[in-house]
Amino acid sequence: MSLFVSQYNWRYNSLVFWALCGRYVLGHEAMRRMGTANVLIAGMRGLGVEIAKNVILSGVKSVTVQDEGLAEWMDFSSQFFLLASHLGQNRALSSLSQLSALNPHVHVSAHTGPLKETLLQQFQVVVLTDSSLDDQQRFGTFCHSNGIKLIVADTKGLCGQLFCDFGEEFEVLDTDGETPASAMIDDITKADPGVVTCIEQRHGFVDGSTVSLSEVCGMTKLNSYGPVDIKVLGPDSFSICDTSSFSEYKKGGVATEVKKSKILQFKPLDEALVDPELLVMTDYGKMTKHQTLHLAFQALHGFVKRVGRLPKPRSQSDAELLVAMVTELNKVSHLDQLDEDVVQSLSFTACGDLAPVNAFIGGLAAQEEAMFYLSGKLSIGLCWWIFIPCLSALTTALLSLLQRGSRYDGQTAVFGSGFQERLGEQKYFLVGAGAIGCELLKNFALIGLGAGEGGHITVTDMDSIERSNLNRQFLFRSQDIGVREKQKSEVAAQAVRVMNPNMNITAHQNRLDPDSEQVYGHTFFMGLDGVAAALDNVEARVYLDGRCVQHQRPMLEGGTLGSKGHTLVVVPHLTESYGPAKTGSQNAIPLCTLKNFPHRIEHTLRLHEGPLGERSRSNDAYAIVPCRDAAGFLERTLGRGEAEALEVLECVWGGVGRQRPQGWEDCVGWARRQWETLYNNNIAQLLHCFPSDQLTSSGLPFWSGAKRCPHPLTFDPSNTTHMDYVVAAANLYGQIYGIVGTRDSSAIRSILETVHIPAFTPKSTIKIHLTDKEMEEERESGHLDTGRLEELQKKLSSPPVNSAALQMHPIDFEKDDDNNFHIDYIVAASNLRAENYDIPTADRHKSKLIAGRIIPAIATTTAAVAGLMCVELYKLVQGHRKISSYRSSYINLAVQYCVLSEPLGPQRFTVSDRSAHTPTVKRIEQKQRKEQRKVCSKKRELSGPHLQFASDVMPGLLGSMEQ
């Protein structure tokens, strides 16, 4: 069998379409490099299959999995692609079909023979798992001398290790993996060196950063000067080159960070074994444990070589032998202190194989090879030795360790069969079946959570499966996309039932909020042993946390953002809870900035995300009411307040009145007039209120700093962006009314020749708000057109004659369908507005990322986070009552950052001279519910993933906020 198939010429465009979020994290060039790499992963036990899964999802050219061993019950505690029918069969071959199904653009093959140097020569990256120290040293020397990148990963019970060798000189193109910082310029001095002052309070640069300058007016030589090193002078200023001979600075300009490459030097494994400086700490409260583990893992290999097996579970004699071997090794290493308890715990658990530990180490290992070496994009910093001790999850009680030939043998070797029964009896609630949710469910199935008598898992997720999910939500496949009855929760539940047929799991499609409390009420929560949160927004986390506090149930929480991740364990009366939502966000963009004073492409994109779906539904509500209840509809609408009623009734009248389109030509005409309103008339009105030479009360230019002076656009049918807007807007408008459109630009141009564009004259009576506070004050003042409200009530007091014909069709935003005009519309609308304000435009890729509120996620980070969450789950089920036993984690797989720390204790207050926890659970819950309802009732002006194109787009399809 060919180890990798060169005849498969996978197209690059198809590859990056599959690995959508990987592209958002790494970029096009990095994804291209990954698509040419061939990887060998040796060992297909739990750790090997975890690494293979993550690498395949990332989108390399080929992956070859190697294993000579046969599947046995001990493997089932962490090898999630093995079935009972695979017992006695080769592990690599048994896993092949499932691994191949993860990503059709990666060729996956199996090798069942031994590892040899001639095999290794065919790969750019070699990963060794479940290997002896002799093999590691032999192949490490060979790989180092032949330019092959080597990763050694291993787990033994509750401990894991990771080593990387990428050669003598390895160039990293991006040392931190962060998006390049940028800042708008307010002033540049003529001096040596010149001093740049930024508009933003914090520019985000550091000493030694290199920036390029663009869009500078006056001192234009800087635009072509090239990258320049800077020295930070303050949070809003930095110095650059000598500008004393340049012309005077006038206005504008953007400083953008230029990434620098870096050369890293790696030592071969033989040298790294005796170099303590290469040891990376992950838990700074356990430095001695890390140093001891470094020797203990070496001694463990010696133990296997001498005895022919790993130490037996809880064998005191084996532990004493391992301690003696570590002590002997320390005569060379000269550690000041050996932690013999760590060596003993490693010996007691070394023959165990735990899914959560494999998930974490497997995530880090895959990040190293896929995201670091293959892309050249990130510098993880964990490039040499890293050890993860999770020994605090080990109870000190004497446990029953009977091996019963079951799928949990690898776990009972660590915790015992009694603890396994407790895991099976657990009742847990998982909220979210996305990236982290899939990984958690996989771990739940492997460890047997809720899989015993009386145990149960309830999972809820209201979303369906999208194509962009497939690169990190590994329980889903291409055939699950677009099938309405295949919701995430149900498909995920079915997938883990295959992994563990004993799983007791129920899938729901409910949103977790106050409206679902009839399902998830007091009885439901009191019947749980714990909750796991795999959510993608703060509001839902806060609400779930409040419910857990109210019912005194523990909560596991985790989140990711690209290569960054965190975990939190909340134990009632022992640790700090997630806490209430912050009242404001530093990243919130003022609405007045979005509407009238944008200065970044993010502003123009987010303005065009405004939801109008509720308006369409309001129109439907009016259209379908019986004749006798038209007055009732008006009464209910007026009961929502006059301001909101006016807005709703305007929408309804727009949908059932004269403005309702009768055919495709009307849709094109509407789109053309919308273009004129948004990109010409509105800008002309803004400049009428604030002319280009306007001065502030202090005599300074009004249009300066973050306020870019706009200019109106003139429609040009030969301009691609102009026509893109009309085509997309007209088609979306037609869809709302059930009118079939077309992409035929020539036919649309013919219709445009007949469209009448009304003349526009700016009005002096229109007030444009400068701040959100002004907008809020006017709204609260109650000034509104009551005459118009009465007029609309009169017009709508009689029901429609043919209500069915007047119904409209709200369109839910779908970012992954390139044929539905949604992204077409947003890209064109945003770039036209950017052109109004001379803001650099964004391509479709960047626009989709921002407008779709896509949180860059990669399989490696989600696997690592879910693994750490389940390590804490072990402790919860064991009932640990010391806060020192638990760990919160903060990881950034792109830099040297992987820290486990003790969580904070609960907030305490003094009440009547007595120390107490947070005053009353009821009060906390009431406050959090109040905040939640405020969030739910607030108009979804910038709702992101649930963006809805809507109904009455009379003021403007997604652009009505400009009116």
Side-chain angles (χ1 to χ4, degrees):
M1 181 182 294
S2 175
L3 296 177
F4 61 94
V5 185
S6 59
Q7 66 263 31
Y8 279 87
N9 183 23
W10 300 114
R11 292 181 301 169
Y12 168 63
N13 287 339
S14 181
L15 173 62
V16 296
F17 181 69
W18 175 271
L20 186 61
C21 282
R23 177 175 55 174
Y24 292 140
V25 176
L26 301 175
H28 292 283
E29 176 59 23
M31 289 299 298
R32 185 196 65 78
R33 288 181 55 176
M34 289 174 59
T36 63
N38 304 299
V39 179
L40 172 66
I41 300 173
M44 276 295 105
R45 293 184 186 272
L47 179 58
V49 78
E50 183 71 46
I51 296 172
K53 178 256 293 181
N54 294 334
V55 173
I56 292 168
L57 289 174
S58 71
V60 298
K61 180 181 179 181
S62 76
V63 172
T64 296
V65 293
Q66 180 273 342
D67 199 318
E68 298 179 79
L70 306 180
E72 56 187 3
W73 279 119
M74 197 69 156
D75 300 323
F76 281 69
S77 62
S78 64
Q79 222 286 20
F80 44 86
F81 283 153
L82 291 181
L83 305 176
S85 59
H86 292 143
L87 284 168
Q89 299 182 22
N90 180 271
R91 285 187 292 256
L93 289 176
S94 297
S95 308
L96 185 59
S97 62
Q98 291 274 40
L99 289 170
S100 299
L102 289 172
N103 189 340
H105 307 291
V106 177
H107 180 68
V108 185
S109 59
H111 181 79
T112 59
L115 287 180
K116 295 181 179 180
E117 285 82 354
T118 54
L119 174 66
L120 271 58
Q121 284 179 324
Q122 304 177 51
F123 301 91
Q124 290 82 47
V125 183
V126 172
V127 185
L128 299 180
T129 71
D130 195 29
S131 56
S132 69
L133 184 59
D134 289 342
D135 282 348
Q136 293 172 12
Q137 291 176 309
R138 176 163 61 96
F139 293 130
T141 300
F142 176 82
C143 289
H144 190 85
S145 60
N146 286 273
I148 301 171
K149 316 309 173 188
L150 175 70
I151 296 173
V152 177
D154 196 12
T155 61
K156 291 293 184 288
L158 283 160
C159 299
Q161 68 167 349
L162 180 64
F163 169 77
C164 302
D165 174 10
F166 293 161
E168 296 287 349
E169 291 190 354
F170 179 72
E171 182 180 15
V172 180
L173 304 179
D174 183 349
T175 57
D176 61 12
E178 298 290 340
T179 301
S182 66
M184 292 190 64
I185 297 171
D186 188 40
D187 183 54
I188 305 176
T189 64
K190 289 185 63 174
D192 183 16
V195 175
V196 178
T197 304
C198 301
I199 294 171
E200 288 91 349
Q201 293 182 349
R202 293 188 177 276
H203 48 61
F205 304 129
V206 297
D207 265 343
S209 293
T210 300
V211 303
S212 63
L213 304 176
S214 59
E215 302 180 55
V216 177
C217 297
M219 201 177 283
T220 54
K221 190 173 181 179
L222 285 174
N223 295 327
S224 57
Y225 191 85
V228 56
D229 292 337
I230 69 169
K231 180 179 180 180
V232 174
L233 303 177
D236 63 346
S237 63
F238 56 87
S239 62
I240 52 173
C241 57
D242 182 0
T243 60
S244 57
S245 62
F246 296 174
S247 54
E248 290 286 343
Y249 171 81
K250 291 183 179 179
K251 64 176 182 178
V254 177
T256 304
E257 180 186 10
V258 178
K259 295 284 188 172
K260 292 181 179 179
S261 63
K262 181 180 180 181
I263 300 297
L264 296 181
Q265 296 178 330
F266 291 79
K267 291 186 177 183
L269 188 142
D270 281 342
E271 296 180 27
L273 281 171
V274 295
D275 190 344
E277 293 185 1
L278 300 184
L279 187 60
V280 177
M281 297 297 163
T282 58
D283 193 330
Y284 289 92
K286 300 179 179 180
M287 185 174 297
T288 303
K289 286 183 171 62
H290 283 267
Q291 295 171 336
T292 302
L293 274 176
H294 184 53
L295 296 181
F297 262 84
Q298 297 175 52
L300 198 59
H301 287 288
F303 184 101
V304 174
K305 191 173 183 179
R306 179 187 300 184
V307 181
R309 57 170 174 79
L310 287 167
K312 295 180 180 179
R314 304 297 173 119
S315 170
Q316 191 63 44
S317 59
D318 284 354
E320 290 173 357
L321 176 57
L322 188 63
V323 169
M325 296 176 74
V326 171
T327 303
E328 187 67 24
L329 286 175
N330 195 40
K331 292 180 180 179
V332 177
S333 299
H334 302 296
L335 293 182
D336 294 334
Q337 181 181 357
L338 279 178
D339 191 332
E340 293 188 1
D341 289 340
V342 166
V343 181
Q344 178 174 278
S345 296
L346 176 64
S347 178
F348 283 173
T349 63
C351 69
D353 192 19
L354 301 178
V357 180
N358 286 331
F360 181 64
I361 296 294
L364 266 62
Q367 179 78 10
E368 284 289 277
E369 64 181 277
M371 308 306 170
F372 182 37
Y373 162 63
L374 299 179
S375 70
K377 183 74 173 175
L378 309 178
S379 174
I380 190 173
L382 308 179
C383 303
W384 296 278
W385 286 111
I386 177 173
F387 289 90
I388 307 297
C390 300
L391 297 171
S392 58
L394 183 64
T395 181
T396 58
L398 183 61
L399 302 177
S400 171
L401 294 169
L402 294 176
Q403 300 273 321
R404 297 178 296 178
S406 79
R407 65 173 54 251
Y408 308 119
D409 283 354
Q411 187 164 259
T412 56
V414 177
F415 298 114
S417 55
F419 176 70
Q420 188 61 54
E421 292 178 1
R422 291 178 61 185
L423 275 172
E425 296 167 353
Q426 297 293 298
K427 298 180 180 65
Y428 257 74
F429 183 32
L430 172 60
V431 186
I436 296 178
C438 283
E439 292 289 340
L440 285 174
L441 282 174
K442 175 255 292 180
N443 289 338
F444 289 173
L446 293 172
I447 70 176
L449 185 73
E453 185 176 352
H456 193 267
I457 303 294
T458 302
V459 55
T460 187
D461 193 310
M462 63 177 296
D463 289 341
S464 56
I465 301 166
E466 301 175 357
R467 187 168 299 278
S468 62
N469 300 149
L470 300 183
N471 82 313
R472 78 271 189 200
Q473 300 179 20
F474 84 106
L475 296 181
F476 308 139
R477 300 292 181 266
S478 298
Q479 60 267 27
D480 298 324
I481 300 170
V483 182
R484 183 170 296 275
E485 57 271 18
K486 287 192 172 184
Q487 297 292 102
K488 281 186 177 181
S489 58
E490 185 57 46
V491 174
Q494 292 174 358
V496 295
R497 287 191 193 102
V498 174
M499 292 181 185
N500 185 348
N502 297 321
M503 286 291 288
N504 304 312
I505 185 169
T506 301
H508 292 175
Q509 290 81 43
N510 301 318
R511 183 194 300 273
L512 190 74
D513 59 20
D515 293 337
S516 64
E517 288 184 11
Q518 58 182 349
V519 179
Y520 310 119
H522 176 77
T523 302
F524 176 81
F525 271 91
M526 293 306 295
L528 297 173
D529 293 296
V531 173
L535 294 157
D536 61 0
N537 65 89
V538 173
E539 289 80 8
R541 286 183 173 101
V542 170
Y543 173 76
L544 180 58
D545 176 67
R547 300 289 283 163
C548 290
V549 169
Q550 178 190 8
H551 297 94
Q552 300 184 48
R553 291 296 177 263
M555 183 179 80
L556 296 162
E557 193 272 327
T560 69
L561 178 62
S563 59
K564 301 173 185 174
H566 79 272
T567 67
L568 175 71
V569 56
V570 179
V571 187
H573 308 298
L574 187 65
T575 71
E576 183 181 49
S577 69
Y578 186 86
K582 302 297 186 292
T583 56
S585 171
Q586 294 180 347
N587 297 322
I589 304 172
L591 188 56
C592 65
T593 297
L594 296 177
K595 292 180 66 175
N596 300 313
F597 309 113
H599 55 269
R600 290 180 177 272
I601 192 65
E602 289 84 358
H603 301 163
T604 68
L605 278 162
R606 292 189 177 175
L607 177 62
H608 293 288
E609 298 170 16
L612 298 170
E614 293 178 359
R615 300 179 180 182
S616 182
R617 291 177 173 84
S618 295
N619 181 74
D620 281 347
Y622 171 78
I624 64 176
V625 291
C627 296
R628 63 180 181 275
D629 197 34
F633 168 80
L634 291 175
E635 181 180 350
R636 290 191 297 273
T637 302
L638 290 170
R640 298 161 68 176
E642 290 187 337
E644 187 172 350
L646 179 60
E647 184 179 0
V648 171
L649 297 185
E650 285 281 15
C651 295
V652 173
W653 179 244
V656 302
R658 297 179 187 176
Q659 298 179 72
R660 185 182 181 91
Q662 301 303 309
W664 173 239
E665 290 77 10
D666 290 345
C667 296
V668 175
W670 172 85
R672 173 62 185 90
R673 288 187 292 273
Q674 265 310 109
W675 191 101
E676 196 72 17
T677 297
L678 298 176
Y679 308 111
N680 185 300
N681 300 351
N682 285 358
I683 302 300
Q685 180 64 58
L686 180 61
L687 290 173
H688 178 76
C689 295
F690 303 105
S692 59
D693 58 355
Q694 177 90 8
L695 299 178
T696 66
S697 57
S698 57
L700 298 175
F702 176 84
W703 294 105
S704 62
K707 290 187 174 69
R708 289 174 173 254
C709 186
H711 62 275
L713 303 182
T714 301
F715 184 77
D716 179 3
S718 65
N719 185 300
T720 301
T721 307
H722 294 197
M723 283 300 296
D724 285 348
Y725 175 89
V726 172
V727 172
N731 275 278
L732 287 169
Y733 191 59
Q735 290 174 25
I736 289 169
Y737 292 96
I739 297 171
V740 179
T742 179
R743 288 184 180 270
D744 188 342
S745 296
S746 60
I748 293 175
R749 286 193 185 93
S750 298
I751 298 174
L752 288 175
E753 294 176 359
T754 66
V755 176
H756 171 67
I757 305 299
F760 175 76
T761 302
K763 300 179 178 61
S764 299
T765 56
I766 291 180
K767 179 180 179 181
I768 293 178
H769 303 101
L770 298 180
T771 65
D772 286 7
K773 184 178 180 180
E774 287 184 9
M775 297 172 61
E776 187 64 28
E777 288 175 349
E778 181 169 311
R779 186 182 296 114
E780 292 176 355
S781 66
H783 296 306
L784 76 158
D785 190 348
T786 54
R788 176 61 176 166
L789 181 60
E790 292 175 359
E791 179 186 358
L792 288 171
Q793 290 182 65
K794 183 177 180 180
K795 288 180 177 180
L796 294 170
S797 59
S798 299
V801 177
N802 185 356
S803 61
L806 296 181
Q807 288 186 29
M808 299 158 69
H809 311 283
I811 306 173
D812 293 330
F813 176 62
E814 172 49 65
K815 64 183 181 297
D816 291 317
D817 183 354
D818 285 337
N819 297 314
N820 61 10
F821 298 100
H822 297 189
I823 294 296
D824 294 338
Y825 176 85
I826 286 180
V827 173
S830 169
N831 284 339
L832 285 169
R833 187 160 174 80
E835 187 179 345
N836 278 136
Y837 286 86
D838 295 318
I839 298 171
T841 58
D843 60 15
R844 186 181 185 88
H845 164 72
K846 182 176 181 179
S847 298
K848 181 184 286 191
L849 171 64
I850 299 172
R853 289 294 202 279
I854 297 174
I855 299 176
I858 47 180
T860 52
T861 316
T862 55
V865 164
L868 289 175
M869 290 173 69
C870 287
V871 170
E872 300 307 303
L873 173 63
Y874 282 144
K875 303 171 189 177
L876 288 174
V877 176
Q878 288 177 346
H880 284 270
R881 293 308 303 168
K882 291 183 178 180
I883 194 171
S884 59
S885 298
Y886 293 95
R887 286 292 180 267
S888 296
S889 66
Y890 305 90
I891 63 176
N892 185 346
L893 302 190
V895 295
Q896 188 173 346
Y897 199 79
C898 177
V899 176
L900 311 179
S901 62
E902 184 177 306
L904 297 176
Q907 189 175 4
R908 295 177 179 272
F909 298 86
T910 299
V911 180
S912 300
D913 298 325
R914 295 178 63 186
S915 178
H917 293 293
T918 304
T920 64
V921 171
K922 184 176 181 181
R923 187 177 302 173
I924 293 175
E925 188 216 9
Q926 289 174 344
K927 182 178 180 181
Q928 291 178 335
R929 282 197 186 187
K930 183 178 180 181
E931 292 295 324
Q932 178 70 18
R933 290 194 177 96
K934 286 172 65 177
V935 171
C936 294
S937 63
K938 184 178 179 181
K939 292 182 180 179
R940 301 174 187 175
E941 291 168 340
L942 302 170
S943 60
H946 301 294
L947 162 71
Q948 294 168 322
F949 292 104
S951 87
D952 178 353
V953 273
M954 294 308 118
L957 178 66
L958 299 181
S960 64
M961 294 165 66
E962 295 189 25
Q963 296 298 317

